Amino acid sequence: MRQVMVAGNWKMNGSRDSVRQLIDGIKTGVSGVKAEVVVCPSYVFIPGVADAIAGSGIQLGAQNMCDQDAGAFTGEVSGAMLKDFGVNYVIVGHSERRSLYGETDGVTAVKYTAALRHGLKPIFCIGETLEERESGITESVIARQLDAILEAEGVASLANAVLAYEPVWAIGTGKTATPAQAQEIHAFIRNKIAGLDVGIAVGLRILYGGSMNPGNAAELIAQPDIDGGLIGGASLKADDFLTICKAGG
Ligand code: PGA
């Protein structure tokens, strides 16, 4: 059985006060939740959140990282630094990184490699744009995005990673893929991995992301190949986030 995982991607939001309130709210309601709960704050909030969640069972993730280990890389944050602050997960290949910051498949692959090198578990994001969906190339786009990391690190590396299917047209738009649409792609992803290694495919968690909210989470997570969610907007309200965390049972 794959443990459901719900990860909050706070993106570039919050202040010291609001982050403290948010994490206090999540902590208050998280006991008894069966899902693995992960929060991914901005870098500057990581030390404070790390202290606040100590002993709560909540896991810490970062939203990005540098592919290099140390040195003259102004403005960057290394995997070692993240590890030093108790970070376990790192989002790699988010569509906002790809579209706004020019991260190519090649860049996502070197970051994936760097995350693994530092003992961080990548939450590797894949997904098609609306244009790609309407052109009927969704599966080939996702296969190409996956091949970047499979060629770099091999299928066995997925034992230490999580995938997130995030249709770009559903991110932050309020438009969610229907459970059937999402399940179809999740099954495609799992089958592709199973073609390389059945054991890895069976154990691999594939999260759905894209306007998951308290109203639609249960039905999405009930799909056989959807193992949780990567939550943007709805992760900024403790009550909404906790409802999603409980949606998997
Ligand atoms: P959203 O974002 O839930 O606001 O659509 C999801 C994500 O970008 O990870």
Side-chain angles (χ1 to χ4, degrees):
M1 265 299 276
R2 298 182 291 267
Q3 184 189 17
V4 168
M5 173 169 162
V6 178
N9 174 9
W10 295 354
K11 307 194 180 181
M12 197 174 72
N13 289 298
S15 62
R16 281 198 285 181
D17 272 355
S18 72
V19 162
R20 196 174 304 122
Q21 282 169 27
L22 177 56
I23 201 66
D24 283 351
I26 296 171
K27 269 168 62 183
T28 308
V30 83
S31 72
V33 167
K34 294 198 193 88
E36 180 175 17
V37 176
V38 183
V39 292
C40 305
S42 290
Y43 290 136
V44 291
F45 298 128
I46 283 176
V49 171
D51 289 345
I53 62 176
S56 69
I58 299 168
Q59 303 288 309
L60 193 52
Q63 299 172 17
N64 185 27
M65 65 176 285
C66 186
D67 61 312
Q68 302 291 322
D69 292 349
F73 302 100
T74 302
E76 293 293 323
V77 172
S78 73
M81 293 172 185
L82 296 174
K83 247 340 229 193
D84 197 20
F85 280 90
V87 172
N88 286 329
Y89 287 98
V90 59
I91 298 171
V92 175
H94 191 280
S95 73
E96 287 151 18
R97 301 291 323 166
R98 293 177 190 263
S99 69
L100 302 174
Y101 298 98
E103 291 194 7
T104 59
D105 289 329
V107 170
T108 66
V110 289
K111 289 192 174 189
Y112 179 86
T113 296
L116 294 171
R117 186 164 68 239
H118 290 286
L120 294 162
K121 293 186 181 134
I123 301 173
F124 188 74
C125 302
I126 51 188
E128 82 287 3
T129 63
L130 185 58
E131 201 186 354
E132 289 163 342
R133 174 161 280 261
E134 288 175 345
S135 322
I137 57 168
T138 297
E139 292 188 355
S140 65
V141 167
I142 286 166
R144 189 203 74 221
Q145 293 170 333
L146 278 174
D147 283 341
I149 58 167
L150 292 170
E151 283 161 20
E153 290 300 314
V155 67
S157 70
L158 289 172
N160 297 311
V162 175
L163 296 180
Y165 169 57
E166 299 206 299
V168 178
W169 46 273
I171 296 177
T173 58
K175 282 188 209 150
T176 318
T178 64
Q181 273 175 327
Q183 166 57 26
E184 186 185 356
I185 304 301
H186 282 236
F188 166 75
I189 294 166
R190 200 178 305 283
N191 286 336
K192 176 173 165 65
I193 303 302
L196 300 169
D197 188 317
V198 174
I200 292 283
V202 168
L204 177 65
R205 290 186 290 182
I206 309 174
L207 313 183
Y208 170 79
S211 299
M212 191 185 265
N213 62 48
N216 61 28
E219 210 189 340
L220 284 159
I221 297 174
Q223 301 301 308
D225 290 298
I226 301 183
D227 307 307
L230 180 56
I231 321 297
S235 71
L236 296 171
K237 290 194 187 129
D239 289 349
D240 286 356
F241 185 62
L242 285 165
T243 302
I244 298 171
C245 291
K246 291 171 189 157

